[in-house]
Amino acid sequence: MQATKIHAQLDKMNDMQKKAALHTEGALLILAGAGSGKTTVLISRIANILAQGLCYPSNILAITFTNKAAKELVSRIDSLIGEDGSGVWASTFHSFCAKVLRRNIDTLGYSSDFSIFDTDDSLRIIKSAQKEMGIDPQILAPRAVLSRISRCKDCRISPAEYTENFGNDTYNNDICRLYTEYEKQLKRSNALDFDDIILKTVELFETSDEILNYYSNKFKYIMVDEYQDTNPLQFRLIELLQTVHGNLCVVGDDDQSIYKFRGATIENILSFEKKFKNAVVIRLEQNYRSTGNILNAANNVISNNSERKGKTLWTAAGDGEPIYENRLDDEYQESLFIADTVLDSVASQGMNYGDFAVLYRTNAQSNAIEQTFVKGGVPYKIIGGMRFYERKEIKDILAYMYLVHNTSDDLRLIRIINEPKRKIGQATLETLRTLAAQNAVSVFDIAKAAESFPELTRSAARLQKFSELIDSLILEKDTLPLSELIKDISVRSGYIAMLEAENTEEARDRVNNIAELVSTAAVFETQSDEPTLGAFLEEIALMTDIDNLDDSSDRVVLMTLHSAKGLEFDNVFIAGAEEGLFPGQRSIESQEELEEERRLMYVGITRAKKRLYITHTQRRTIYGMTKYNQPSRFLNEIPKEIIKPLYSKDKPAQTMSPSAYGFGSNVSIKHVDLNSFAQIRKPVNNAKTENGASFNIGERVVHKTFGTGTLLSKKPMGGDTLLEINFDKVGVKKIMANFAKLTKE
C-alpha cells in the first residue's frame, strides 16, 4: 500500500474533503457542490479504507452514472494506490446489474445469453404491436407509450397492475395492451430493455435470499455517485445491497437534480437522513473550477428554489471576468455572435476550439448554430446527435452479432433476414412469426425447420440457407477473435458486397463505418478481461453519448444543458435564455417544474471555468413558429453588478452590423425560414477583404484564424461560394466565402 501517496493526497485536501475521506462507518451523505472535488474525495476514501485494512478491494462497490466516470475512477485509484486497489467494483448501475444477471438470471427464467434492447429496438416492438392491434400511432405516439412503460418499470408497476388501476379508458387501455404485448415479446426473445436490467436485478434479490445474501455480504462498503439522479428502483437496489453492513456513502448535489423526465426523484437525496438512521451529512462547498463571479451567479439563481438542502459555493481563486449578456434580434444573429466570439478568441487570444461549449435547452436550437458554424469554418461536434452505433449499417451488423449470440432474438432476426435482399418477403416474415408464436419457439427455430411447414414451402430453401449461415457463424464465435468474427459476418452475409455494388460515396462511407466497428472490436480484445462477443455487445448496449466524448479533439462542443452535467469548459455560452424556452412554457405553470428548470440553469452556469456568456433574442423561430420572448427570469436572478451587457440598453434589441461578421455592409440580415438559411447572406462583390469569392484560384490568402494558404477551388452554393483552401499550418479547410474574411498575402 502506497501510504505516503495517500497521506500526501489527504494533506492537499480542505477540511471538509478530508473529513469525508476519513469517514468510514455507517451512512454518509456527501453534499458535493459543482467543481468541489468529489472524485478526489471518493478516491481518497477508498484508499483510506484499504490502507486501514478494513476490507479487500473486491468488497468495495462504487457506482457511477456513466462508463466514462467509472473508468476515470479506476484509473485514478490505480494512480494513487496501484495494484492494492485492483479489484474494486467500479461501474454504472446498468453494468453492475448486467454482471449480476449474467451469473444469476436463470433464477428468473431467462438464459445468460440474453440480449439488451436499445430504444430503437423497443420502438420497433411497439410500432409492430400497434399495427397488429389497429392502434393509430398518430393518436398514441410510440415514444409516449415507451416512456409510460419505462415509468411503470421505474415504479415497479406490472402490466396487470397497470390494467387494474388505469385501464378504464381507451387511451390507457391501449397502453395496457401494448405494455402486455411488449413484455411478452421481450421474454420470447430472451431480451431485456434498459429498465429491465435494474428491475430484474431487484426482483432477483427480492426472490432469492441466497443471491441477495451473497452480494450484500460481499460489498462491505458501497459508494454511489450522482445520487440526486437516482430513481425509486435504483434506490431499492442500493437499499437491498447495504442491508448487511450498512456502510453506504452517497455523493450528490440536490441543486443538480435535473433528470425528473427520466424518472429520477430529488426526494431520494432530500430524505436521505430519514431513510438511513444516524446518517452523517458533510457539505463540500469550496469550488476549484469556476471564478467567483460565476459562482456568485449560480448561488443567487439557485437560492430561489425552496426544495433544497442548502449550500453556498465559494472559491479562493478571485472574481474573474463578469458574466457576459447579449441580446440579439433573432437566432441567426445569436449564432453569428457565438461564432464570431469563438473565432476572435482563437485568433487573438490563442484559445482552442475545444475550450468552448454552446449549451441550449432543446436540440432544435442547434440548427441555426450548426449552419453558421459550417459556413464560418468553425469545427464542432454535437453531443446527442446520431451516435455511431445508431447508424443503419452498424445496427445491421450488430443485429447479426446479436443473433449469433442469442438465436431467440426475434427482433434482430427480422431486421436482417432480408438485409441484404434474399427474396424473403413480408408475407414470409409474418408466417414465421405466427408459427413461432403457435409453437412457442423462436423465429430462428422455425426458419431452420422451414421445410417441415407447408406454409413455408416456397421460401424453405432461402430460409434454410440463411439459418445455415447463422449456424456456421455460431460455430466460429468461440474460435475466431471478435474482430475477425465481425469481418466474417460482414463479408459472408453479403453486406459488404451489397454496399460495394451501390458504388456511391455514401456506400463507401458505410463500408468505412463497418471497418471502424472492426477496429473498435480489436481494441476491445486487447483491453477487456473478457473479450467475448457477449461482453462486447453488452458494453455497446450500455454506452452513452458522454462515454464517446473525445476530450482531445479541438472542436467546439454543442449540446443540451441536460447533456452537459458533469463536464466543464473554459468558456460556455448558454443560448436562448428566454421565457417560454428556458424556462419552458409548461414549466412556468408549475412550481415543481420551474425549480427543476432553475436547477438546469444552475448546472449550465457551473459548467464554465473562466467565461460565461448568456444570450437571448427578441424573436425566435422554433418548431416552425416565430415567438417574441422576454429575457429569462433566471437572468434577473443574477446580481446586476456582475453582468456586463454586450448591447445598448437604449435599443429594444441589438441589430448587429453585418460587416462585423464578414458579410459586407450591403448585406441585409433578416428573419428567414429555417429551411432557407442561405437567404441571410446575399452575394457580396465589393470588397476583397471581406468576400473570399472575389479571389482567384491559386492566389495566396490570409485567414485570421487559420493563417496563410492557397485557394484551391471555388464552388457556388446557396447564394454564397464554398472555398477550398490549403492552409500552410492546418491543411485543407472548406469555408463559405462571405464568412471567410480573407485578405491577400
Side-chain angles (χ1 to χ4, degrees), residues 124-167:
R124 286 164 68 96
I125 295 176
I126 299 295
K127 290 174 182 177
S128 176
Q130 284 185 307
K131 185 178 179 181
E132 291 177 5
M133 296 177 184
I135 298 173
D136 189 347
Q138 298 298 317
I139 298 174
L140 187 54
R143 286 189 179 276
V145 176
L146 193 59
S147 177
R148 183 68 62 89
I149 291 173
S150 180
R151 296 291 79 79
C152 283
K153 291 188 176 186
D154 286 346
C155 298
R156 306 181 70 189
I157 300 172
S158 70
E161 290 170 328
Y162 191 90
T163 302
E164 182 181 346
N165 292 295
F166 304 104

mmCIF file of all heavy atoms in Angstrom, residues 124-167:
data_model
loop_
_atom_site.group_PDB
_atom_site.id
_atom_site.type_symbol
_atom_site.label_atom_id
_atom_site.label_comp_id
_atom_site.label_asym_id
_atom_site.label_seq_id
_atom_site.Cartn_x
_atom_site.Cartn_y
_atom_site.Cartn_z
ATOM 1 N N ARG A 124 -39.454 -0.421 -32.217
ATOM 2 C CA ARG A 124 -39.857 -1.337 -33.284
ATOM 3 C C ARG A 124 -40.917 -2.326 -32.783
ATOM 4 O O ARG A 124 -41.873 -2.651 -33.496
ATOM 5 C CB ARG A 124 -38.634 -2.077 -33.831
ATOM 6 C CG ARG A 124 -37.741 -1.200 -34.715
ATOM 7 C CD ARG A 124 -36.372 -1.837 -34.898
ATOM 8 N NE ARG A 124 -36.439 -3.059 -35.687
ATOM 9 C CZ ARG A 124 -36.222 -3.138 -36.985
ATOM 10 N NH1 ARG A 124 -35.948 -2.031 -37.657
ATOM 11 N NH2 ARG A 124 -36.270 -4.288 -37.629
ATOM 12 N N ILE A 125 -40.743 -2.806 -31.571
ATOM 13 C CA ILE A 125 -41.737 -3.721 -30.986
ATOM 14 C C ILE A 125 -43.077 -3.001 -30.808
ATOM 15 O O ILE A 125 -44.135 -3.523 -31.162
ATOM 16 C CB ILE A 125 -41.251 -4.264 -29.636
ATOM 17 C CG1 ILE A 125 -40.011 -5.130 -29.814
ATOM 18 C CG2 ILE A 125 -42.356 -5.092 -28.973
ATOM 19 C CD1 ILE A 125 -39.426 -5.631 -28.499
ATOM 20 N N ILE A 126 -43.033 -1.792 -30.245
ATOM 21 C CA ILE A 126 -44.250 -1.023 -30.003
ATOM 22 C C ILE A 126 -44.982 -0.744 -31.314
ATOM 23 O O ILE A 126 -46.200 -0.928 -31.426
ATOM 24 C CB ILE A 126 -43.950 0.305 -29.278
ATOM 25 C CG1 ILE A 126 -43.315 0.049 -27.902
ATOM 26 C CG2 ILE A 126 -45.217 1.148 -29.148
ATOM 27 C CD1 ILE A 126 -44.196 -0.634 -26.918
ATOM 28 N N LYS A 127 -44.235 -0.296 -32.321
ATOM 29 C CA LYS A 127 -44.847 0.034 -33.618
ATOM 30 C C LYS A 127 -45.479 -1.201 -34.258
ATOM 31 O O LYS A 127 -46.572 -1.127 -34.828
ATOM 32 C CB LYS A 127 -43.798 0.654 -34.549
ATOM 33 C CG LYS A 127 -43.354 2.051 -34.132
ATOM 34 C CD LYS A 127 -42.201 2.536 -35.009
ATOM 35 C CE LYS A 127 -41.730 3.929 -34.556
ATOM 36 N NZ LYS A 127 -40.557 4.392 -35.350
ATOM 37 N N SER A 128 -44.785 -2.321 -34.186
ATOM 38 C CA SER A 128 -45.309 -3.564 -34.742
ATOM 39 C C SER A 128 -46.588 -3.987 -34.021
ATOM 40 O O SER A 128 -47.577 -4.392 -34.655
ATOM 41 C CB SER A 128 -44.250 -4.663 -34.645
ATOM 42 O OG SER A 128 -44.752 -5.904 -35.085
ATOM 43 N N ALA A 129 -46.572 -3.865 -32.698
ATOM 44 C CA ALA A 129 -47.755 -4.228 -31.912
ATOM 45 C C ALA A 129 -48.922 -3.296 -32.219
ATOM 46 O O ALA A 129 -50.080 -3.739 -32.298
ATOM 47 C CB ALA A 129 -47.417 -4.201 -30.425
ATOM 48 N N GLN A 130 -48.648 -2.016 -32.390
ATOM 49 C CA GLN A 130 -49.706 -1.068 -32.734
ATOM 50 C C GLN A 130 -50.360 -1.423 -34.066
ATOM 51 O O GLN A 130 -51.582 -1.345 -34.222
ATOM 52 C CB GLN A 130 -49.144 0.361 -32.793
ATOM 53 C CG GLN A 130 -48.894 0.975 -31.433
ATOM 54 C CD GLN A 130 -48.445 2.420 -31.526
ATOM 55 O OE1 GLN A 130 -47.491 2.730 -32.230
ATOM 56 N NE2 GLN A 130 -49.089 3.305 -30.819
ATOM 57 N N LYS A 131 -49.522 -1.811 -35.020
ATOM 58 C CA LYS A 131 -50.037 -2.185 -36.338
ATOM 59 C C LYS A 131 -50.944 -3.403 -36.237
ATOM 60 O O LYS A 131 -52.029 -3.447 -36.825
ATOM 61 C CB LYS A 131 -48.866 -2.453 -37.289
ATOM 62 C CG LYS A 131 -49.286 -2.722 -38.722
ATOM 63 C CD LYS A 131 -48.060 -2.920 -39.608
ATOM 64 C CE LYS A 131 -48.478 -3.206 -41.053
ATOM 65 N NZ LYS A 131 -47.280 -3.419 -41.931
ATOM 66 N N GLU A 132 -50.508 -4.398 -35.476
ATOM 67 C CA GLU A 132 -51.298 -5.632 -35.326
ATOM 68 C C GLU A 132 -52.603 -5.377 -34.578
ATOM 69 O O GLU A 132 -53.621 -6.002 -34.861
ATOM 70 C CB GLU A 132 -50.473 -6.690 -34.592
ATOM 71 C CG GLU A 132 -49.302 -7.231 -35.406
ATOM 72 C CD GLU A 132 -48.455 -8.229 -34.632
ATOM 73 O OE1 GLU A 132 -48.853 -8.557 -33.493
ATOM 74 O OE2 GLU A 132 -47.416 -8.678 -35.163
ATOM 75 N N MET A 133 -52.577 -4.441 -33.612
ATOM 76 C CA MET A 133 -53.768 -4.160 -32.809
ATOM 77 C C MET A 133 -54.666 -3.089 -33.409
ATOM 78 O O MET A 133 -55.745 -2.814 -32.888
ATOM 79 C CB MET A 133 -53.350 -3.730 -31.402
ATOM 80 C CG MET A 133 -52.626 -4.797 -30.604
ATOM 81 S SD MET A 133 -52.100 -4.151 -28.983
ATOM 82 C CE MET A 133 -51.199 -5.561 -28.331
ATOM 83 N N GLY A 134 -54.214 -2.462 -34.497
ATOM 84 C CA GLY A 134 -55.003 -1.403 -35.114
ATOM 85 C C GLY A 134 -55.032 -0.122 -34.304
ATOM 86 O O GLY A 134 -56.013 0.620 -34.344
ATOM 87 N N ILE A 135 -53.959 0.158 -33.564
ATOM 88 C CA ILE A 135 -53.869 1.377 -32.751
ATOM 89 C C ILE A 135 -53.126 2.445 -33.559
ATOM 90 O O ILE A 135 -51.991 2.252 -33.968
ATOM 91 C CB ILE A 135 -53.137 1.109 -31.426
ATOM 92 C CG1 ILE A 135 -53.916 0.075 -30.600
ATOM 93 C CG2 ILE A 135 -52.961 2.403 -30.637
ATOM 94 C CD1 ILE A 135 -53.172 -0.378 -29.350
ATOM 95 N N ASP A 136 -53.764 3.575 -33.784
ATOM 96 C CA ASP A 136 -53.216 4.643 -34.615
ATOM 97 C C ASP A 136 -52.020 5.299 -33.925
ATOM 98 O O ASP A 136 -52.185 5.918 -32.862
ATOM 99 C CB ASP A 136 -54.295 5.688 -34.898
ATOM 100 C CG ASP A 136 -53.864 6.717 -35.944
ATOM 101 O OD1 ASP A 136 -52.647 6.775 -36.264
ATOM 102 O OD2 ASP A 136 -54.736 7.461 -36.443
ATOM 103 N N PRO A 137 -50.804 5.222 -34.515
ATOM 104 C CA PRO A 137 -49.628 5.848 -33.895
ATOM 105 C C PRO A 137 -49.694 7.372 -33.890
ATOM 106 O O PRO A 137 -48.941 8.016 -33.170
ATOM 107 C CB PRO A 137 -48.463 5.341 -34.756
ATOM 108 C CG PRO A 137 -49.077 4.968 -36.067
ATOM 109 C CD PRO A 137 -50.463 4.496 -35.753
ATOM 110 N N GLN A 138 -50.589 7.964 -34.709
ATOM 111 C CA GLN A 138 -50.774 9.407 -34.694
ATOM 112 C C GLN A 138 -51.530 9.851 -33.448
ATOM 113 O O GLN A 138 -51.347 10.975 -32.969
ATOM 114 C CB GLN A 138 -51.541 9.850 -35.957
ATOM 115 C CG GLN A 138 -50.821 9.547 -37.270
ATOM 116 C CD GLN A 138 -49.488 10.278 -37.385
ATOM 117 O OE1 GLN A 138 -49.382 11.445 -37.046
ATOM 118 N NE2 GLN A 138 -48.465 9.557 -37.845
ATOM 119 N N ILE A 139 -52.385 8.970 -32.941
ATOM 120 C CA ILE A 139 -53.143 9.281 -31.727
ATOM 121 C C ILE A 139 -52.362 8.882 -30.477
ATOM 122 O O ILE A 139 -52.318 9.623 -29.492
ATOM 123 C CB ILE A 139 -54.514 8.567 -31.765
ATOM 124 C CG1 ILE A 139 -55.337 9.085 -32.958
ATOM 125 C CG2 ILE A 139 -55.272 8.766 -30.457
ATOM 126 C CD1 ILE A 139 -56.648 8.358 -33.173
ATOM 127 N N LEU A 140 -51.728 7.717 -30.549
ATOM 128 C CA LEU A 140 -50.931 7.225 -29.424
ATOM 129 C C LEU A 140 -49.497 7.032 -29.923
ATOM 130 O O LEU A 140 -49.168 6.000 -30.511
ATOM 131 C CB LEU A 140 -51.512 5.916 -28.894
ATOM 132 C CG LEU A 140 -50.902 5.325 -27.605
ATOM 133 C CD1 LEU A 140 -50.923 6.346 -26.488
ATOM 134 C CD2 LEU A 140 -51.637 4.066 -27.195
ATOM 135 N N ALA A 141 -48.669 8.035 -29.699
ATOM 136 C CA ALA A 141 -47.298 8.027 -30.225
ATOM 137 C C ALA A 141 -46.485 6.902 -29.602
ATOM 138 O O ALA A 141 -46.506 6.723 -28.372
ATOM 139 C CB ALA A 141 -46.615 9.365 -29.963
ATOM 140 N N PRO A 142 -45.744 6.129 -30.416
ATOM 141 C CA PRO A 142 -44.939 5.017 -29.880
ATOM 142 C C PRO A 142 -43.972 5.445 -28.781
ATOM 143 O O PRO A 142 -43.785 4.725 -27.799
ATOM 144 C CB PRO A 142 -44.195 4.505 -31.124
ATOM 145 C CG PRO A 142 -45.091 4.867 -32.270
ATOM 146 C CD PRO A 142 -45.713 6.173 -31.899
ATOM 147 N N ARG A 143 -43.349 6.621 -28.933
ATOM 148 C CA ARG A 143 -42.408 7.084 -27.910
ATOM 149 C C ARG A 143 -43.126 7.386 -26.590
ATOM 150 O O ARG A 143 -42.571 7.179 -25.505
ATOM 151 C CB ARG A 143 -41.642 8.316 -28.395
ATOM 152 C CG ARG A 143 -40.587 8.011 -29.435
ATOM 153 C CD ARG A 143 -39.689 9.199 -29.732
ATOM 154 N NE ARG A 143 -38.679 8.867 -30.727
ATOM 155 C CZ ARG A 143 -37.524 8.269 -30.452
ATOM 156 N NH1 ARG A 143 -37.204 7.991 -29.188
ATOM 157 N NH2 ARG A 143 -36.664 7.984 -31.414
ATOM 158 N N ALA A 144 -44.355 7.888 -26.693
ATOM 159 C CA ALA A 144 -45.132 8.157 -25.480
ATOM 160 C C ALA A 144 -45.463 6.849 -24.767
ATOM 161 O O ALA A 144 -45.425 6.775 -23.537
ATOM 162 C CB ALA A 144 -46.408 8.909 -25.836
ATOM 163 N N VAL A 145 -45.788 5.819 -25.543
ATOM 164 C CA VAL A 145 -46.067 4.503 -24.974
ATOM 165 C C VAL A 145 -44.830 3.962 -24.260
ATOM 166 O O VAL A 145 -44.902 3.500 -23.120
ATOM 167 C CB VAL A 145 -46.521 3.512 -26.061
ATOM 168 C CG1 VAL A 145 -46.704 2.110 -25.468
ATOM 169 C CG2 VAL A 145 -47.805 3.982 -26.714
ATOM 170 N N LEU A 146 -43.693 4.055 -24.947
ATOM 171 C CA LEU A 146 -42.452 3.539 -24.372
ATOM 172 C C LEU A 146 -42.067 4.308 -23.109
ATOM 173 O O LEU A 146 -41.592 3.720 -22.129
ATOM 174 C CB LEU A 146 -41.324 3.619 -25.408
ATOM 175 C CG LEU A 146 -40.043 2.853 -25.083
ATOM 176 C CD1 LEU A 146 -40.337 1.375 -24.890
ATOM 177 C CD2 LEU A 146 -39.015 3.035 -26.207
ATOM 178 N N SER A 147 -42.277 5.619 -23.117
ATOM 179 C CA SER A 147 -41.988 6.425 -21.935
ATOM 180 C C SER A 147 -42.872 6.001 -20.764
ATOM 181 O O SER A 147 -42.395 5.895 -19.621
ATOM 182 C CB SER A 147 -42.203 7.910 -22.247
ATOM 183 O OG SER A 147 -41.986 8.704 -21.105
ATOM 184 N N ARG A 148 -44.151 5.750 -21.034
ATOM 185 C CA ARG A 148 -45.065 5.306 -19.990
ATOM 186 C C ARG A 148 -44.636 3.939 -19.433
ATOM 187 O O ARG A 148 -44.659 3.711 -18.212
ATOM 188 C CB ARG A 148 -46.487 5.232 -20.531
ATOM 189 C CG ARG A 148 -47.559 4.852 -19.500
ATOM 190 C CD ARG A 148 -47.752 5.941 -18.448
ATOM 191 N NE ARG A 148 -48.196 7.175 -19.053
ATOM 192 C CZ ARG A 148 -49.485 7.490 -19.252
ATOM 193 N NH1 ARG A 148 -50.449 6.676 -18.866
ATOM 194 N NH2 ARG A 148 -49.817 8.656 -19.805
ATOM 195 N N ILE A 149 -44.239 3.040 -20.304
ATOM 196 C CA ILE A 149 -43.772 1.718 -19.865
ATOM 197 C C ILE A 149 -42.530 1.862 -18.988
ATOM 198 O O ILE A 149 -42.403 1.204 -17.950
ATOM 199 C CB ILE A 149 -43.481 0.812 -21.080
ATOM 200 C CG1 ILE A 149 -44.788 0.449 -21.791
ATOM 201 C CG2 ILE A 149 -42.737 -0.457 -20.655
ATOM 202 C CD1 ILE A 149 -44.587 -0.295 -23.103
ATOM 203 N N SER A 150 -41.622 2.743 -19.401
ATOM 204 C CA SER A 150 -40.399 2.970 -18.630
ATOM 205 C C SER A 150 -40.717 3.481 -17.226
ATOM 206 O O SER A 150 -40.134 3.030 -16.239
ATOM 207 C CB SER A 150 -39.495 3.955 -19.371
ATOM 208 O OG SER A 150 -38.305 4.191 -18.657
ATOM 209 N N ARG A 151 -41.641 4.448 -17.137
ATOM 210 C CA ARG A 151 -42.023 4.975 -15.822
ATOM 211 C C ARG A 151 -42.679 3.880 -14.975
ATOM 212 O O ARG A 151 -42.469 3.822 -13.761
ATOM 213 C CB ARG A 151 -42.970 6.158 -15.978
ATOM 214 C CG ARG A 151 -42.393 7.386 -16.666
ATOM 215 C CD ARG A 151 -41.338 8.104 -15.822
ATOM 216 N NE ARG A 151 -40.029 7.429 -15.888
ATOM 217 C CZ ARG A 151 -39.177 7.523 -16.876
ATOM 218 N NH1 ARG A 151 -39.468 8.262 -17.913
ATOM 219 N NH2 ARG A 151 -38.017 6.883 -16.869
ATOM 220 N N CYS A 152 -43.471 3.026 -15.621
ATOM 221 C CA CYS A 152 -44.091 1.919 -14.893
ATOM 222 C C CYS A 152 -43.032 1.002 -14.291
ATOM 223 O O CYS A 152 -43.130 0.580 -13.140
ATOM 224 C CB CYS A 152 -45.001 1.114 -15.827
ATOM 225 S SG CYS A 152 -46.591 1.896 -16.182
ATOM 226 N N LYS A 153 -42.015 0.704 -15.070
ATOM 227 C CA LYS A 153 -40.962 -0.183 -14.580
ATOM 228 C C LYS A 153 -40.160 0.478 -13.456
ATOM 229 O O LYS A 153 -39.784 -0.196 -12.491
ATOM 230 C CB LYS A 153 -40.054 -0.599 -15.740
ATOM 231 C CG LYS A 153 -40.748 -1.533 -16.730
ATOM 232 C CD LYS A 153 -39.788 -2.094 -17.767
ATOM 233 C CE LYS A 153 -40.511 -3.085 -18.671
ATOM 234 N NZ LYS A 153 -39.607 -3.768 -19.622
ATOM 235 N N ASP A 154 -39.911 1.784 -13.585
ATOM 236 C CA ASP A 154 -39.217 2.503 -12.513
ATOM 237 C C ASP A 154 -39.983 2.400 -11.200
ATOM 238 O O ASP A 154 -39.394 2.312 -10.117
ATOM 239 C CB ASP A 154 -39.040 3.983 -12.871
ATOM 240 C CG ASP A 154 -37.970 4.211 -13.909
ATOM 241 O OD1 ASP A 154 -37.181 3.286 -14.172
ATOM 242 O OD2 ASP A 154 -37.926 5.326 -14.481
ATOM 243 N N CYS A 155 -41.312 2.428 -11.301
ATOM 244 C CA CYS A 155 -42.173 2.374 -10.116
ATOM 245 C C CYS A 155 -42.674 0.963 -9.825
ATOM 246 O O CYS A 155 -43.537 0.775 -8.957
ATOM 247 C CB CYS A 155 -43.361 3.325 -10.295
ATOM 248 S SG CYS A 155 -42.873 5.050 -10.464
ATOM 249 N N ARG A 156 -42.169 -0.003 -10.582
ATOM 250 C CA ARG A 156 -42.484 -1.422 -10.398
ATOM 251 C C ARG A 156 -43.987 -1.697 -10.529
ATOM 252 O O ARG A 156 -44.590 -2.399 -9.725
ATOM 253 C CB ARG A 156 -41.947 -1.895 -9.045
ATOM 254 C CG ARG A 156 -40.463 -1.607 -8.876
ATOM 255 C CD ARG A 156 -39.941 -2.083 -7.566
ATOM 256 N NE ARG A 156 -39.918 -3.548 -7.541
ATOM 257 C CZ ARG A 156 -39.656 -4.247 -6.448
ATOM 258 N NH1 ARG A 156 -39.416 -3.624 -5.307
ATOM 259 N NH2 ARG A 156 -39.648 -5.570 -6.479
ATOM 260 N N ILE A 157 -44.563 -1.149 -11.587
ATOM 261 C CA ILE A 157 -45.964 -1.407 -11.915
ATOM 262 C C ILE A 157 -46.006 -2.378 -13.096
ATOM 263 O O ILE A 157 -45.572 -2.053 -14.198
ATOM 264 C CB ILE A 157 -46.708 -0.100 -12.276
ATOM 265 C CG1 ILE A 157 -46.662 0.879 -11.098
ATOM 266 C CG2 ILE A 157 -48.144 -0.387 -12.687
ATOM 267 C CD1 ILE A 157 -47.194 2.261 -11.436
ATOM 268 N N SER A 158 -46.501 -3.564 -12.883
ATOM 269 C CA SER A 158 -46.566 -4.587 -13.922
ATOM 270 C C SER A 158 -47.694 -4.290 -14.901
ATOM 271 O O SER A 158 -48.577 -3.471 -14.602
ATOM 272 C CB SER A 158 -46.774 -5.964 -13.295
ATOM 273 O OG SER A 158 -48.088 -6.045 -12.748
ATOM 274 N N PRO A 159 -47.726 -4.962 -16.069
ATOM 275 C CA PRO A 159 -48.845 -4.783 -16.999
ATOM 276 C C PRO A 159 -50.193 -5.082 -16.347
ATOM 277 O O PRO A 159 -51.165 -4.357 -16.565
ATOM 278 C CB PRO A 159 -48.533 -5.782 -18.116
ATOM 279 C CG PRO A 159 -47.047 -5.901 -18.111
ATOM 280 C CD PRO A 159 -46.663 -5.800 -16.673
ATOM 281 N N ALA A 160 -50.243 -6.132 -15.533
ATOM 282 C CA ALA A 160 -51.500 -6.490 -14.867
ATOM 283 C C ALA A 160 -51.937 -5.396 -13.897
ATOM 284 O O ALA A 160 -53.121 -5.038 -13.832
ATOM 285 C CB ALA A 160 -51.342 -7.821 -14.137
ATOM 286 N N GLU A 161 -50.989 -4.842 -13.136
ATOM 287 C CA GLU A 161 -51.308 -3.774 -12.185
ATOM 288 C C GLU A 161 -51.734 -2.507 -12.908
ATOM 289 O O GLU A 161 -52.641 -1.797 -12.457
ATOM 290 C CB GLU A 161 -50.102 -3.495 -11.294
ATOM 291 C CG GLU A 161 -49.805 -4.625 -10.297
ATOM 292 C CD GLU A 161 -48.479 -4.445 -9.596
ATOM 293 O OE1 GLU A 161 -47.534 -3.890 -10.202
ATOM 294 O OE2 GLU A 161 -48.365 -4.894 -8.438
ATOM 295 N N TYR A 162 -51.086 -2.216 -14.026
ATOM 296 C CA TYR A 162 -51.467 -1.035 -14.804
ATOM 297 C C TYR A 162 -52.894 -1.194 -15.333
ATOM 298 O O TYR A 162 -53.695 -0.260 -15.293
ATOM 299 C CB TYR A 162 -50.490 -0.819 -15.963
ATOM 300 C CG TYR A 162 -50.658 0.532 -16.643
ATOM 301 C CD1 TYR A 162 -49.937 1.637 -16.203
ATOM 302 C CD2 TYR A 162 -51.530 0.704 -17.703
ATOM 303 C CE1 TYR A 162 -50.083 2.882 -16.809
ATOM 304 C CE2 TYR A 162 -51.681 1.940 -18.319
ATOM 305 C CZ TYR A 162 -50.971 3.019 -17.864
ATOM 306 O OH TYR A 162 -51.130 4.258 -18.464
ATOM 307 N N THR A 163 -53.186 -2.387 -15.829
ATOM 308 C CA THR A 163 -54.525 -2.664 -16.348
ATOM 309 C C THR A 163 -55.579 -2.500 -15.255
ATOM 310 O O THR A 163 -56.625 -1.884 -15.458
ATOM 311 C CB THR A 163 -54.590 -4.091 -16.921
ATOM 312 O OG1 THR A 163 -53.617 -4.236 -17.959
ATOM 313 C CG2 THR A 163 -55.974 -4.392 -17.476
ATOM 314 N N GLU A 164 -55.275 -3.025 -14.065
ATOM 315 C CA GLU A 164 -56.217 -2.974 -12.958
ATOM 316 C C GLU A 164 -56.473 -1.547 -12.487
ATOM 317 O O GLU A 164 -57.606 -1.174 -12.156
ATOM 318 C CB GLU A 164 -55.702 -3.815 -11.798
ATOM 319 C CG GLU A 164 -56.643 -3.867 -10.600
ATOM 320 C CD GLU A 164 -56.089 -4.705 -9.457
ATOM 321 O OE1 GLU A 164 -55.111 -5.452 -9.685
ATOM 322 O OE2 GLU A 164 -56.632 -4.609 -8.332
ATOM 323 N N ASN A 165 -55.417 -0.727 -12.475
ATOM 324 C CA ASN A 165 -55.530 0.608 -11.885
ATOM 325 C C ASN A 165 -55.835 1.719 -12.889
ATOM 326 O O ASN A 165 -56.388 2.752 -12.509
ATOM 327 C CB ASN A 165 -54.242 0.945 -11.137
ATOM 328 C CG ASN A 165 -54.040 0.083 -9.901
ATOM 329 O OD1 ASN A 165 -54.800 0.149 -8.956
ATOM 330 N ND2 ASN A 165 -53.006 -0.745 -9.909
ATOM 331 N N PHE A 166 -55.438 1.526 -14.160
ATOM 332 C CA PHE A 166 -55.562 2.626 -15.110
ATOM 333 C C PHE A 166 -56.324 2.272 -16.388
ATOM 334 O O PHE A 166 -56.607 3.169 -17.184
ATOM 335 C CB PHE A 166 -54.163 3.137 -15.492
ATOM 336 C CG PHE A 166 -53.320 3.549 -14.323
ATOM 337 C CD1 PHE A 166 -52.301 2.723 -13.875
ATOM 338 C CD2 PHE A 166 -53.553 4.739 -13.652
ATOM 339 C CE1 PHE A 166 -51.520 3.086 -12.789
ATOM 340 C CE2 PHE A 166 -52.779 5.108 -12.569
ATOM 341 C CZ PHE A 166 -51.765 4.286 -12.134
ATOM 342 N N GLY A 167 -56.614 0.991 -16.591
ATOM 343 C CA GLY A 167 -57.189 0.578 -17.862
ATOM 344 C C GLY A 167 -58.677 0.796 -17.997
ATOM 345 O O GLY A 167 -59.401 -0.090 -18.479
#
